[in-house]
Amino acid sequence: MTGVHLLDRVIGSDYPSFTTAAEIRAFEQVPYTERIAAQSTYDAIRLGAAVNPDAPAIQFLPNADPADIPLVITYRDLIGRVTQAANMFHALGVGPNDVISFMLPLLPEAFITLFGAEAAGIANPVNPLLEPHQIAEILNAARTKVLVALGPLPGTDIWQKVEKVRGSLPHLKAIVQVHGGGGDPANGIYAFNDLITPQPADHLVSGRQISADDTAAYFHTGGTTGTPKLVRHSHGNQVYQAWGVNLLLKAKPGATLLFGMPLFHVGGSLTQTLPTLSAGGCLVVLSPSGWRNPAAVRNIWGLVERFRTETLSSVPTVLAATLAIPQGTADVSSLRYAAGGGSAIPVAVGQAIQDKLKLPVVEVYGMTETSSIHTMAYPDQPIRLGSVGLPLPYARVRIVKLDVNGAYERDCAPDEIGVVIMAGPGVFSGYLDDAHNKGAFIDGHWVNSGDLGRLDADGFLWITGRAKDLVIRGGHNIDPAPIEEILFQHPAVGFAAVVGQPDSYAGELPVGYVQLKPGASVQPGELEDWVRTRTPERAAVPVQIIPVDPMPLTGVGKVFKPQLRWDAATRVFTGVLSQLTDRGIDCSVKVGPHGSHGSLATVTLRNVPTEAREAVENEVHTLLAPFVLRHEVVHA
């Protein structure tokens, strides 16, 4: 392998330039199928390992502290252990169509399990923070044959959840326990190390030849509440993600990445882990809790200095938190760019990163159904803050108008807002349960994102809102429907709706609206308590529930949720600007639709003396800067 891009057979000693649309189209003249050098994730990691088998693939920091002595796993060790894991699963009866689910924190065994499972069968990473009944629904939907889980250890309840759900899993044949005990083989529980150690590390015992069309994994999506949707990824889908990310970020062997995202999230497993390992880079794992460990952010600049990290990459809440950490004397000159996704990066946060850290901000956009990133800001081109960039090479984006039944009507003109649909090598073939595929695709193979956006004249994508109802809280999806059902069960509630209200830290928080039945009344806090006691997912409980009369409805009688989102945003911004009104400044805010931004907050200042206007306007901009929602200031 002589090229700089290990997954591309055509690229030679230098990465191509993508400064213009013409250069991108010229690059695409070679069919993607002729470029790709790996058919499977197993092949991709083998390519990365072949560059320097003795180089570190993973450095695990137990406390996310620069002073930690890391546990180092070389590439020779990694590919050997992944091979052993695949053979372990094969010995447990797993075939290419069988599912290995796992519930693990960010331990080395989690990475080995993910790719070993994909080499033997189908991996199903599961969020261990979910409630037991939610976990059981996912495991049953996947028809889990083998479950890998963290054993009973202090400070974690993963094993307790396993014990609660195992009796309700009819397809389960074996549980593999990572740490916490020696297993109980008589009851189908086996110790990870006992099973993996005897397996050969130099070949797949099954003799399996994995094709790009084989299913690699199921990732659950559709919100932290509600019936789980299992997204079916092929090996080709996942390898494309690694190929595209490495291509645009010009990945090279030896580069380090501070890693703290969960593997049950495609951003962690596919956008960060697989590209790094297939390029011969090194994952510096920030403790079992990753970015959820407060020490990870607190020590960020010391970690950058020690490991000479080139990328500051995570969800927007983490990026924003790092800005509050003093750099001190830390040498962070190794950083080349910051990158974020999962939810929108507030323009002010992006601007602060550019101003304070002097780094370009590479914002990305995608979804589980596109194997994570589908568009991104190209580092070779000027950054347009607020835009999520251009499609990856060979990927496509369209903006379309759909009718009330979700059927295609027409494509939108440049800068006209419509529904974002996507196609390309990363787009999945459908959900595991065919019932979930209704409305998922437009024209057969264009996935319906459920997001609203526009394409400018240069093809840059701008996300302006959501056509679907999910609330995105700190990068996690919350499905409003189950919460609305709980509200409907209250005897006083006639109409109920849950939407997202802006939040300066989490991006959005769930807020409820209800129209009470005629003559009905409720006590303050009654509905919030009603939901809280009936909802296992704490993050989904509305931060407040607001009575409205009448509930805004569409022409066909459905709740018009954009009006509620505007109302929620107006309430939040009015509260934030109370710092001005408390000082006697006549100030009001109204959020409503906008042709380019989707929604816009208009702040009206009245009777402000001319000489004070600039100072007051700057104060408004400072107060509202942390929010994703755009705003403008006018004088009356």
Side-chain angles (χ1 to χ4, degrees), residues 275-360:
T276 300
L277 297 180
S278 64
C282 177
L283 296 170
V284 179
V285 180
L286 304 175
S287 84
S289 299
W291 291 116
R292 293 179 62 248
N293 182 345
V297 172
R298 186 172 62 245
N299 295 328
I300 183 66
W301 306 126
L303 291 165
V304 169
E305 179 178 46
R306 178 179 175 185
F307 294 100
R308 306 306 298 160
T309 307
E310 295 187 359
T311 311
L312 185 63
S313 179
S314 189
V315 294
T317 53
V318 171
L319 295 179
T322 62
L323 292 171
I325 306 300
Q327 288 185 31
T329 59
D331 178 3
V332 298
S333 60
S334 59
L335 288 172
R336 292 193 296 121
Y337 55 86
S343 59
I345 300 176
V347 171
V349 171
Q351 190 65 58
I353 291 172
Q354 291 189 164
D355 294 343
K356 183 176 180 179
L357 303 179
K358 310 303 180 187
L359 298 176

Side-chain angles (χ1 to χ4, degrees), residues 124-127 130 134 137-138 141 218-233 264-266 366-370 428 430-432 436 447 449 468 470 472 475-479:
N124 175 222
V126 178
N127 181 357
L130 294 175
Q134 297 168 308
E137 288 174 355
I138 293 169
Y218 299 148
F219 280 82
H220 57 85
T221 187
T224 56
T225 57
T227 304
K229 291 181 178 179
L230 292 181
V231 173
R232 183 175 53 220
H233 285 164
F264 60 79
H265 192 288
V266 290
M367 53 197 301
T368 307
E369 290 83 348
T370 61
F428 80 139
Y431 299 103
L432 180 61
H436 290 138
V447 65
S449 72
K468 62 186 179 184
L470 290 183
I472 301 181
H476 295 284
N477 294 342
I478 296 169
D479 183 357

Side-chain angles (χ1 to χ4, degrees), residues 499-557:
V499 298
Q501 72 175 30
D503 184 75
S504 60
Y505 177 74
E508 285 185 319
L509 296 173
V511 60
Y513 285 84
V514 296
Q515 180 179 328
L516 300 180
K517 294 176 180 176
S521 63
V522 294
Q523 296 298 313
E526 178 180 341
L527 293 177
E528 288 86 347
D529 289 342
W530 175 271
V531 175
R532 189 175 296 109
T533 58
R534 291 163 173 80
T535 306
E537 188 66 33
R538 285 181 297 172
V541 176
V543 294
Q544 63 174 326
I545 297 175
I546 303 166
V548 291
D549 191 9
M551 182 73 74
L553 302 176
T554 67
V556 295

Side-chain angles (χ1 to χ4, degrees), residues 138-503:
I138 293 169
L139 298 182
N140 275 320
R143 300 173 68 91
T144 299
K145 189 168 187 176
V146 174
L147 174 62
V148 183
L150 186 68
L153 291 173
T156 173
D157 62 355
I158 292 177
W159 189 251
Q160 290 92 316
K161 291 178 180 179
V162 170
E163 290 182 322
K164 286 183 179 179
V165 305
R166 64 172 304 199
S168 62
L169 307 175
H171 306 288
L172 187 66
K173 302 301 181 185
I175 299 175
V176 180
Q177 189 180 77
V178 175
H179 302 308
D184 183 6
N187 289 305
I189 302 173
Y190 304 92
F192 186 92
N193 285 336
D194 289 349
L195 287 188
I196 197 172
T197 301
Q199 297 297 332
D202 58 350
H203 70 285
L204 295 178
V205 173
S206 66
R208 184 184 182 194
Q209 298 295 314
I210 308 170
S211 78
D213 293 330
D214 286 349
T215 301
Y218 299 148
F219 280 82
H220 57 85
T221 187
T224 56
T225 57
T227 304
K229 291 181 178 179
L230 292 181
V231 173
R232 183 175 53 220
H233 285 164
S234 69
H235 279 269
N237 292 150
Q238 295 193 350
V239 169
Y240 172 75
Q241 178 72 187
W243 174 89
V245 169
N246 285 345
L247 172 70
L248 295 183
L249 298 185
K250 305 183 189 305
K252 293 183 179 179
T256 59
L257 174 70
L258 298 180
F259 183 84
M261 293 186 69
L263 292 181
F264 60 79
H265 192 288
V266 290
S269 57
L270 302 185
T271 300
Q272 294 195 346
T273 297
L274 187 58
T276 300
L277 297 180
S278 64
C282 177
L283 296 170
V284 179
V285 180
L286 304 175
S287 84
S289 299
W291 291 116
R292 293 179 62 248
N293 182 345
V297 172
R298 186 172 62 245
N299 295 328
I300 183 66
W301 306 126
L303 291 165
V304 169
E305 179 178 46
R306 178 179 175 185
F307 294 100
R308 306 306 298 160
T309 307
E310 295 187 359
T311 311
L312 185 63
S313 179
S314 189
V315 294
T317 53
V318 171
L319 295 179
T322 62
L323 292 171
I325 306 300
Q327 288 185 31
T329 59
D331 178 3
V332 298
S333 60
S334 59
L335 288 172
R336 292 193 296 121
Y337 55 86
S343 59
I345 300 176
V347 171
V349 171
Q351 190 65 58
I353 291 172
Q354 291 189 164
D355 294 343
K356 183 176 180 179
L357 303 179
K358 310 303 180 187
L359 298 176
V361 179
V362 178
E363 186 161 3
V364 304
Y365 170 76
M367 53 197 301
T368 307
E369 290 83 348
T370 61
S371 307
S372 198
I373 293 176
H374 194 82
T375 75
M376 68 185 298
Y378 279 39
D380 286 347
Q381 299 191 29
I383 300 295
R384 302 186 185 189
L385 283 178
S387 166
V388 293
L390 300 165
L392 271 60
Y394 302 98
R396 296 292 182 264
V397 172
R398 290 162 60 196
I399 307 296
V400 300
K401 288 293 184 183
L402 305 179
D403 65 19
V404 293
N405 297 315
Y408 171 81
E409 284 188 341
R410 62 176 177 84
D411 278 46
C412 293
D415 286 321
E416 181 185 6
I417 294 175
V419 176
V420 180
I421 64 174
M422 297 173 282
V427 173
F428 80 139
S429 60
Y431 299 103
L432 180 61
D433 185 345
D434 193 56
H436 290 138
N437 289 317
K438 182 179 180 181
F441 294 92
I442 307 298
D443 292 348
H445 64 281
W446 292 78
V447 65
N448 180 351
S449 72
D451 289 327
L452 299 175
R454 61 183 174 88
L455 290 171
D456 65 21
D458 298 318
F460 285 75
L461 178 62
W462 302 75
I463 301 300
T464 60
R466 268 194 304 287
K468 62 186 179 184
D469 293 337
L470 290 183
V471 177
I472 301 181
R473 180 175 187 166
H476 295 284
N477 294 342
I478 296 169
D479 183 357
I483 310 305
E484 293 166 350
E485 284 298 320
I486 292 171
L487 283 170
F488 276 121
Q489 292 167 14
H490 191 283
V493 173
F495 274 108
V498 174
V499 298
Q501 72 175 30
D503 184 75

